[in-house]
């Protein structure tokens, strides 16, 4: 037994075979437990195995040869063709690696930690697996994220997508629910807010689609404005948590006989939201009547394309004594200038109480940016 251990000790090739065998066994056991190694661990195991295999072969040739110097020279010369072949094939290997490589990210979704695997050739798809630390991950997809067309990594470039549809799976791989998340961006393209729309597959499967489908003209009308033959409406799509609702814009070009959805995506506003269209293109949706000065919530949505897209308006105002300003009315034109009346509740000039101060903001870019008049 001692001789066998000594022989193994001086034989890198046998060490390498043992290493490979142990890893195959570990991977098999992990597979039975619906787990596997992370990508970086797999790559490390492969590199160690290949390196040990090559070094082990050279070692055995060196030990069994009488002319040690000749073995070393031939071994060095023998590696040159492999190095040249690797250099020649490097462009092909790199090309294949770029399109086959799927980066992994440890991330949190819905307050749960996952390992996200990104596929982003012509379409950006992200599969979320259970995370078991920095070494291990699950083998079953728990959530799938559809980020739309493109060739980017949504974790390295978080402001690129406009929306994402999450599909949730149970332990048997069956779809149990879906959630659409639309992003609200400022004029610089940075995401400042998001809207969620949940679909419970288990419940929706038991409902007849013909009973659940609602024609646009039958949606609850929240606001309507006529411009000759054109009618624009803000209508409710659905209720969501937190006393909020999802809305979009409908348009009729035949005096109200037929309505069609204009908006690319729904927006989330409070149940007390106010709406207005100043002309056929320019419209506004006031969510809660408050504009937070840290811009962490959307207070005013603006559309300049009849409701097709909405952007969060920006207010250029600083006040150390207030967290938000209140919108007192809808935007309006006065002397060909776009204005909106607001107010702020702050400490008075005597600093012995509070006062409600009126603020008038003016916009020179169709409501995207508001400056104090």
């Amino acid at each position: 037994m001692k001789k066998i251990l000594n022989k193994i000790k001086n034989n890198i090739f046998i060490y390498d075979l043992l290493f490979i065998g142990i890893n195959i066994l570990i991977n098999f056991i992990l597979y039975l437990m619906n787990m596997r190694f992370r990508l970086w661990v797999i790559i490390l195991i492969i590199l160690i195995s290949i390196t040990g295999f090559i070094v082990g072969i050279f070692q055995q040739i060196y030990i069994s040869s009488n002319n040690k110097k000749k073995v070393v020279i031939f071994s060095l010369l023998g590696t040159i063709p492999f190095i040249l072949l690797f250099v020649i094939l490097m462009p092909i290997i790199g090309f294949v690696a770029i399109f086959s490589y799927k980066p992994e990210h440890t991330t949190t979704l819905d307050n749960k930690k996952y390992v996200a695997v990104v596929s982003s050739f012509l379409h950006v798809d992200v599969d979320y697996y259970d995370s078991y630390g920095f070494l291990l991950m699950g083998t079953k997809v728990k959530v799938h994220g559809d980020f739309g067309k493109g060739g980017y990594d949504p974790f390295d470039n978080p402001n690129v997508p406009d929306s994402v549809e999450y599909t949730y799976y149970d332990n048997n791989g069956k779809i149990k629910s879906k959630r659409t998340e639309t992003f609200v961006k400022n004029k610089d393209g940075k995401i400042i807010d998001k809207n969620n729309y949940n679909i419970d597959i288990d419940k929706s499967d038991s409902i007849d689609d013909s009973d659940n489908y609602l024609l646009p003209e039958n949606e609850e009308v929240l606001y309507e404005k006529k411009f000759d033959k054109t009618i624009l409406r803000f209508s409710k799509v659905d209720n969501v948590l937190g006393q909020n609702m999802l809305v979009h814009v409908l348009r009729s070009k035949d005096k109200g006989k037929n309505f069609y959805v204009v908006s690319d995506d729904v927006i989330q506003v409070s149940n007390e939201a106010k709406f207005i269209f100043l002309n056929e293109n320019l419209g506004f949706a006031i969510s809660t009547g408050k504009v937070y000065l840290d811009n962490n919530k959307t207070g005013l949505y603006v559309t300049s394309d009849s409701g097709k897209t909405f952007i969060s308006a920006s207010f250029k105002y600083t006040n150390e004594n207030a967290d938000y300003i209140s919108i007192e009315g809808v935007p309006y034109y006065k002397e060909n200038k776009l204005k909106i009346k607001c107010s702020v509740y702050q400490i008075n000039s005597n600093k012995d109480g509070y006062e409600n101060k009126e603020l008038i903001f003016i916009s020179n870019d169709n409501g995207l940016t508001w400056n104090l008049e």
Side-chain angles (χ1 to χ4, degrees), residues 183-232:
F183 302 113
V184 180
K185 302 181 180 180
N186 59 21
K187 63 178 182 178
D188 297 322
K190 185 178 179 180
I191 295 175
I192 59 173
D193 201 358
K194 59 185 178 182
N195 303 316
N196 293 317
Y197 181 53
N198 298 306
I199 303 173
D200 192 332
I201 299 299
D202 293 334
K203 293 181 181 179
S204 64
D205 284 346
S206 62
I207 300 174
D208 187 359
D209 288 340
S210 62
D211 295 334
N212 196 40
Y213 183 72
L214 189 66
L215 294 173
E217 51 263 37
N218 294 329
E219 293 179 357
E220 181 182 347
V221 179
L222 305 171
Y223 170 87
E224 182 177 284
K225 182 73 173 180
K226 296 181 180 180
F227 300 96
D228 296 327
K229 294 182 179 181
T230 299
I231 300 176
L232 293 172

Side-chain angles (χ1 to χ4, degrees), residues 9 31 143 149 156-157 178 191 219 265 268 306 320:
K9 186 177 179 181
Y31 178 78
V143 185
K149 296 180 180 179
D156 294 334
N157 302 280
K178 289 187 177 183
I191 295 175
E219 293 179 357
D265 295 299
Q268 179 175 303
S306 303
E320 296 180 354

Side-chain angles (χ1 to χ4, degrees), residues 29-241:
I29 295 172
L30 289 174
Y31 178 78
L32 295 177
M33 300 169 63
N34 293 319
M35 292 190 293
R36 70 171 178 85
F37 284 121
R38 298 281 296 271
L39 179 61
W40 73 269
V41 180
I42 295 174
I43 293 174
L44 181 62
I45 291 172
I46 292 173
L47 289 176
I48 293 174
S49 300
I50 293 174
T51 303
F53 184 81
I54 295 173
V55 173
I57 290 177
F58 284 145
Q59 183 193 45
Q60 292 306 303
I61 295 173
Y62 181 82
I63 293 173
S64 61
S65 175
N66 295 323
N67 193 336
K68 310 294 186 185
K69 188 179 292 185
K70 185 181 289 186
V71 171
V72 173
I73 294 172
F74 276 107
S75 297
L76 293 174
L77 292 175
T79 59
I80 293 176
F82 290 102
I83 295 174
L84 292 175
L85 182 63
F86 180 79
V87 172
I88 293 171
L89 295 177
M90 178 61 75
I92 299 175
I93 296 173
F95 181 80
V96 173
I98 289 173
F99 291 101
S100 61
Y101 174 62
K102 296 181 179 181
E104 294 179 358
H105 302 272
T106 301
T107 186
T108 300
L109 180 67
D110 304 324
N111 297 319
K112 184 178 179 181
K113 187 171 286 187
Y114 291 98
V115 176
V117 180
V118 181
S119 300
S120 57
F121 177 42
L122 298 177
H123 197 278
V124 182
D125 295 284
V126 179
D127 289 326
Y128 295 79
Y129 300 84
D130 286 330
S131 175
Y132 300 103
F134 71 102
L135 292 176
L136 301 172
M137 61 184 285
T139 59
K140 294 183 178 180
V141 178
K142 294 297 183 180
V143 185
H144 174 76
D146 182 354
F147 287 79
K149 296 180 180 179
Y152 62 92
D153 188 326
F155 296 94
D156 294 334
N157 302 280
N159 292 311
V160 173
D162 295 319
S163 64
V164 55
E165 181 183 82
Y166 292 107
T167 303
Y168 296 82
Y169 300 91
D170 59 19
N171 292 328
N172 296 319
K174 182 181 177 182
I175 298 176
K176 61 180 183 180
S177 65
K178 289 187 177 183
R179 177 169 65 88
T180 298
E181 196 171 90
T182 59
F183 302 113
V184 180
K185 302 181 180 180
N186 59 21
K187 63 178 182 178
D188 297 322
K190 185 178 179 180
I191 295 175
I192 59 173
D193 201 358
K194 59 185 178 182
N195 303 316
N196 293 317
Y197 181 53
N198 298 306
I199 303 173
D200 192 332
I201 299 299
D202 293 334
K203 293 181 181 179
S204 64
D205 284 346
S206 62
I207 300 174
D208 187 359
D209 288 340
S210 62
D211 295 334
N212 196 40
Y213 183 72
L214 189 66
L215 294 173
E217 51 263 37
N218 294 329
E219 293 179 357
E220 181 182 347
V221 179
L222 305 171
Y223 170 87
E224 182 177 284
K225 182 73 173 180
K226 296 181 180 180
F227 300 96
D228 296 327
K229 294 182 179 181
T230 299
I231 300 176
L232 293 172
R233 283 179 177 175
F234 276 94
S235 66
K236 182 192 290 187
V237 177
D238 201 357
N239 291 308
V240 292
L241 296 176

Side-chain angles (χ1 to χ4, degrees), residues 278-328:
L278 296 180
N279 54 52
E280 286 192 40
N281 297 313
L282 185 61
F284 298 90
I286 302 171
S287 180
T288 62
K290 295 180 180 179
V291 176
Y292 287 87
L293 301 182
D294 58 4
N295 291 320
N296 64 349
K297 292 183 180 179
T298 299
L300 177 65
Y301 290 100
V302 57
T303 176
S304 57
D305 50 15
S306 303
K308 181 176 174 61
T309 58
F310 284 89
I311 298 175
S312 178
S314 175
F315 283 76
K316 304 299 182 182
Y317 178 74
T318 302
N319 190 330
E320 296 180 354
N321 298 317
D323 295 325
Y324 64 87
I325 58 176
S326 299
I327 300 177
E328 300 295 339

